Amino acid sequence: FVDVDPITLSASRLAGASLSVNAAAEAILLAAAANMVTKTAVAIGIGGIRFGWKLVLAGLLALASGAAAFVIL
């Protein structure tokens, strides 16, 4: 699995100093997306598509919300 916490902490510490705020936000959004894709694949692999489709919909909604917030802000 992809652990989002270290990436979030590192990117937020570097934001504004050696990394632009936009680049830090992109790194965090990318890490969250990779985490969601990995967990969704595992859920579908273990629980089947009937179980995993709900997680796919929730993940897409979460990723769309994060991307919309990134574009708006």
Side-chain angles (χ1 to χ4, degrees):
F1 295 114
V2 178
D3 192 7
V4 179
D5 294 336
I7 296 169
T8 302
L9 291 173
S10 296
S12 62
R13 285 185 186 146
L14 294 173
S18 61
L19 189 65
S20 72
V21 174
N22 282 343
E26 288 175 5
I28 293 169
L29 185 60
L30 183 61
N35 188 12
M36 180 56 67
V37 168
T38 303
K39 288 182 179 182
T40 301
V42 170
I44 291 172
I46 293 173
I49 193 68
R50 297 188 83 194
F51 173 76
W53 75 269
K54 295 174 187 175
L55 188 58
V56 169
L57 291 177
L60 289 175
L61 180 61
L63 291 175
S65 299
F70 178 75
V71 169
I72 291 171
L73 299 175

